[in-house]
Structures are given as structure tokens and as C-alpha cells.
Amino acid sequence: MKLLRYGPAGSEKPGLLDAEGRIRSLLSVTKDLTPDSLSPAALRTIAAQSLDRLPAVTGSPRIGTPYRGIGKFIAVGLNFSDHAAESGMPVPAEPIIFSKAISCIVGPNDEVMLPKDSVKSDWEVELGVVIGRTARYVPEDQALDHVAGYCVVNDVSERAYQLERGGTWDKGKGCDTFGPVGPYLVTADEVGDPQRLDMWLDLNGKRMQSGSTKTMIFPVRTLVSYISRFMTLEPGDLITTGTPPGVGMGKKPAPIFLKPGDVMELGISKLGSQRQTVVAWR
């Protein structure tokens, strides 16, 4: 299933995408899509609905985040060896994890606003992993059983804040609007193997990133297992799993960074696409 939420920011309604690409309302099933909606039992209830009896949504409403109530937004850095190389950093021996502030989360097509005085804001197409069952010290061979589904994430990053201001990476990762998520939460059964998904990002119509989850240093099962040793993963937690090469910071002969008016378009096979216009601080 492709679960989504549609409508004005703060007033989104639950829906799903049918095989013809139409949004079907889930209001007769649930008031909203939340972490409680992500359990195996809840997903089975939604899957059992007859699509013909779910009303089609007319028009082209705004698409919000695919569920409300993301608890933790956990990110993984340098998880593609070729991205580590373009960043001039060694391939990590263990996953690098940090947090993105949940206040940075926006819909997949909402504007990305540059922070005040930003000069090095950058893009990163990433695979998001949505937790559906509580995970604590989970073995790798059971890790994917705790995943409800997957989504597209743009891990927007202010590189000067991230790398030049001291301390952890969090400073450059959690700025307002720096976490577009969606358009859909695609359930794990529909995605299949998460290590066989193509990824891409265009800036102003020019291809910047092109890669595949198959080249991750640490695959999804390893990340879920590893992170669950350091913190309890709960339903609704979101893990964003690293980016392939092609970020602005690594461009030659000179870096390219985001400016007002730029348009980012990005996507992952099976998971849909996003489109954001960059705007100045306001």
C-alpha cells in the first residue's frame, strides 16, 4: 500500500493511492495516520478495505507527510562509500548516527527555506525507514520485521553549520524545512528488498545524484539492528539512511549550493518523488 495524507498543513486527512494513481480517502477507517496505524494489525485492517468503497479525492490537494507523529528522526551519515570519498572522509567502521530535529519536517512538495545567513545549504536524496514495531537489541535477521514501510527523504543540510561551527552535525541538519518526507509511506510488503531501489535528484532540471540503495555500506537490516542497541526504536520513528554521491559540497571544480529560486526534484523507485522550491529566510 501507498499511504499518504493530503490537505492544508495542519489539517491533513488520511488516504492511500490506488493502482490508477487516485487518492482514496481513509476517513471511514481512521481519523488520521499515526504511529498507531503502523502496527501489523492496523496495516492489515487498512489493506482489507475494498478500494471501490473508499471515496476518491477530487482535485490536486497538497500532499503532507505520510503520517503524523514522527517521534525520533534519526539519520545515518556517510553510508555510501562513493559519497564518503567525494566528502573527503574515510569510510566509517560503524554507522555514523545523528538526529534531525522533528521541527524540520515538512511535506514532500513544500518549500525549503534557507536559514538566515546560510551560504552552504545542500541536498541529499535518502531512503527513509519507518519503524512499525518496538525494536530493542534486535538481531539483524529479525530487523526488517520491525519496519512498517519506506519513504523518500531529502536530508537538506547546511554544510557550514554542520562542519564548520564545532560540535555535532545536528546544527546543520535540523533547520526549519530541512526534512521533506513523502509523498507516501509504502508498506514493506510492496517494496520488497530495500537494497534494490534506484535513487535520483535533479537541481533545476539537471541530474545531480544517481545511485542505488544496493551500494549502501550498512544495509537497512544492519542499521535497524545497530541503532536499536543504543536507543529503543518505537513505532513512528524514522531513520534516514544516507545519500549516494552527487551532493553540492562535492561538485568539481567548485561546490554548488542552494539559492532562492532553485528547484529540487528527487525520488526513489517504488516510493514516488518530491519537488521543492528553495526560498530565502523569512
Side-chain angles (χ1 to χ4, degrees):
M1 293 183 293
K2 292 182 174 69
L3 302 175
L4 57 87
R5 295 166 68 243
Y6 61 94
S11 302
E12 294 92 342
K13 298 176 182 179
L16 59 78
L17 200 71
D18 67 18
E20 285 72 43
R22 294 172 298 193
I23 299 174
R24 298 279 184 167
S25 172
L26 283 174
L27 277 174
S28 62
V29 182
T30 181
K31 292 182 179 179
D32 204 352
L33 294 171
T34 68
D36 290 340
S37 310
L38 304 177
S39 69
L43 291 176
R44 284 195 297 269
T45 297
I46 296 173
Q49 304 302 309
S50 171
L51 289 182
D52 291 340
R53 296 185 178 182
L54 298 175
V57 176
T58 59
S60 301
R62 169 188 173 272
I63 303 299
T65 58
Y67 62 100
R68 176 177 59 82
I70 295 173
K72 294 190 285 293
F73 195 176
I74 305 158
V76 180
L78 299 177
N79 196 29
F80 289 71
S81 57
D82 36 12
H83 172 54
E86 74 172 352
S87 301
M89 299 179 183
V91 172
E94 295 189 32
I96 296 171
I97 58 175
F98 57 93
S99 294
K100 286 178 74 77
I102 59 172
S103 56
C104 81
I105 297 169
V106 292
N109 304 317
D110 292 344
E111 294 176 337
V112 166
M113 181 177 65
L114 299 177
K116 188 184 295 186
D117 303 322
S118 168
V119 294
K120 294 184 179 181
S121 288
D122 204 347
W123 56 84
E124 294 189 13
V125 58
E126 302 200 5
L127 171 67
V129 179
V130 179
I131 300 298
R133 294 171 50 199
T134 300
R136 185 183 298 113
Y137 292 98
V138 176
E140 279 197 31
D141 61 357
Q142 299 174 26
L144 295 185
D145 296 337
H146 294 74
V147 174
Y150 304 91
C151 59
V152 181
V153 173
N154 190 353
D155 178 19
V156 187
S157 309
E158 213 299 341
R159 302 301 188 188
Y161 298 0
Q162 175 190 358
L163 302 172
E164 301 170 20
R165 301 290 294 270
T168 66
W169 289 4
D170 301 46
K171 292 178 185 177
K173 295 287 189 171
C175 305
D176 291 350
T177 75
F178 271 26
V181 176
Y184 322 120
L185 185 161
V186 185
T187 51
D189 60 320
E190 183 165 326
V191 173
D193 185 353
Q195 306 308 144
R196 294 179 177 274
L197 303 175
D198 294 329
M199 312 167 71
W200 58 272
L201 183 144
D202 293 347
L203 179 68
N204 300 325
K206 182 179 179 181
R207 183 61 44 97
M208 293 293 176
Q209 289 188 275
S210 183
S212 170
T213 58
K214 68 183 178 183
T215 63
M216 282 184 181
I217 299 167
F218 304 104
V220 172
R221 64 180 183 278
T222 301
L223 295 175
V224 172
S225 174
Y226 181 87
I227 295 170
S228 77
R229 303 176 204 170
F230 300 96
M231 65 190 80
T232 298
L233 293 173
E234 300 169 319
D237 286 349
L238 175 61
I239 303 170
T240 190
T241 55
T243 197
V247 300
M249 178 177 64
K251 291 298 181 184
K252 307 297 182 187
I256 300 171
F257 294 115
L258 296 170
K259 62 185 184 303
D262 283 345
V263 176
M264 295 179 284
E265 297 179 89
L266 57 147
I268 300 178
S269 58
K270 299 185 179 182
L271 304 184
S273 61
Q274 304 181 350
R275 185 182 190 276
Q276 299 109 29
T277 299
V278 178
V279 299
W281 169 263
R282 59 173 184 261

